[in-house]
Amino acid sequence: MNIFKRVLSVILAVTVAMCLCSCSLFDTLTAYGLYSRAVTKLAKAGGYDADCVMTISFDILGETLSTDTVMNIKENSTGTQIVTEMDGEEITSTYIDDKVYVEYGDTLVYYTVTDSDATESIGDANLPELAKEIFENINVVKNDDGTKQIAIVLESEDAGSILSSFVTDLDDLTFDDIIYIMIFDKNNDLYMMSLNCSASIDVLGYTMTGYVTAEYTFNDFGTAPEFELGHDESEFEYGGEYSG
């Protein structure tokens, strides 16, 4: 009888463990499960290292004007550093201790930050806050290379929160047809996210329409990177108050 009880206990324990593992695996493989896991891991890390490419194109008087911005964004508990490449030039902006240090060729300038709202334009590769209900009818697409992908239609304010790194006058822009895509690796870690949408802006009574794409690729997701100034603080000249 004792042997029978022991065997029964082992079977029961194994069954419970399998059920728990199955539930955990199921939660991870749902769209919301993947998203919430990424949010939790990012919050726990307290930072990220992400490469970003943003393209903005607008139709102006029958002509299409397009510009590309390439960035690397590093964020940790001390601040944020952004390296921007545009038209062959490289600009490094480092936000730390309520100051923004800008390194541009031989130009070294620092600005003081007194308005907390100004920091919103200093880099942002964080995930948008999305309610669980948004994911109810979202399917997880499994790609041939083992990665997983989810696509979500976002509201305009969610797009604005993602694009705040690039566009400061968000109140003047209207976003439509917003598609937010998240791609996860074989370990279910987020390694890429992209935003695609149409945009319009009124300038002097004329409405310009265009398209915006932003693609982030995370490096070592779940780990906060280290960064430092390229020059000693004493070499930077004061440039006044930072305005974004």
Side-chain angles (χ1 to χ4, degrees), residues 35 48 54 73 75 119-130 154-171 173 175 178 180 193 195 197 214 216:
Y35 163 78
Y48 55 82
M54 182 180 183
I73 306 172
E75 182 176 301
T119 61
E120 293 181 3
S121 62
I122 308 175
D124 189 4
N126 289 306
L127 309 185
E129 295 182 11
L130 303 176
L154 292 184
E155 298 296 329
S156 184
E157 57 267 24
D158 294 318
S161 68
I162 297 174
L163 296 175
S164 62
S165 302
F166 308 92
V167 186
T168 54
D169 296 326
L170 290 170
D171 293 337
L173 280 168
F175 301 107
I178 307 161
Y180 177 58
M193 68 180 189
L195 183 77
C197 64
Y216 292 86

Side-chain angles (χ1 to χ4, degrees), residues 97-114:
D97 295 332
D98 294 327
K99 296 183 180 70
V100 176
Y101 298 86
V102 179
E103 302 169 62
Y104 177 54
D106 295 329
T107 302
L108 304 176
V109 183
Y110 80 91
Y111 304 88
T112 54
V113 179
T114 57

Side-chain angles (χ1 to χ4, degrees), residues 164-222:
S164 62
S165 302
F166 308 92
V167 186
T168 54
D169 296 326
L170 290 170
D171 293 337
D172 297 330
L173 280 168
T174 301
F175 301 107
D176 294 296
D177 305 320
I178 307 161
I179 303 297
Y180 177 58
I181 296 174
M182 304 175 74
I183 301 178
F184 303 83
D185 63 20
K186 297 177 181 179
N187 298 317
N188 298 323
D189 284 328
L190 178 67
Y191 84 92
M192 183 179 291
M193 68 180 189
S194 65
L195 183 77
N196 305 276
C197 64
S198 59
S200 61
I201 184 171
D202 290 328
V203 179
L204 300 176
Y206 176 77
T207 301
M208 296 188 300
T209 59
Y211 201 73
V212 178
T213 64
E215 183 176 277
Y216 292 86
T217 301
F218 289 95
N219 304 306
D220 197 13
F221 185 79

Side-chain angles (χ1 to χ4, degrees), residues 28-95:
T28 300
L29 295 182
T30 63
Y32 182 72
L34 288 168
Y35 163 78
S36 59
R37 182 178 184 274
V39 170
T40 300
K41 194 163 186 175
L42 189 61
K44 186 177 180 180
Y48 55 82
D49 179 346
D51 296 317
C52 181
V53 179
M54 182 180 183
T55 300
I56 301 178
S57 60
F58 271 93
D59 295 326
I60 303 175
L61 300 176
E63 249 185 87
T64 300
L65 300 180
S66 180
T67 181
D68 294 329
T69 303
V70 178
M71 304 172 69
N72 173 261
I73 306 172
K74 290 182 174 67
E75 182 176 301
N76 59 28
S77 59
T78 64
T80 304
Q81 185 173 79
I82 305 173
V83 179
T84 305
E85 294 180 18
M86 199 170 186
D87 297 329
E89 302 288 342
E90 184 175 286
I91 303 173
T92 300
S93 302
T94 305
Y95 170 63

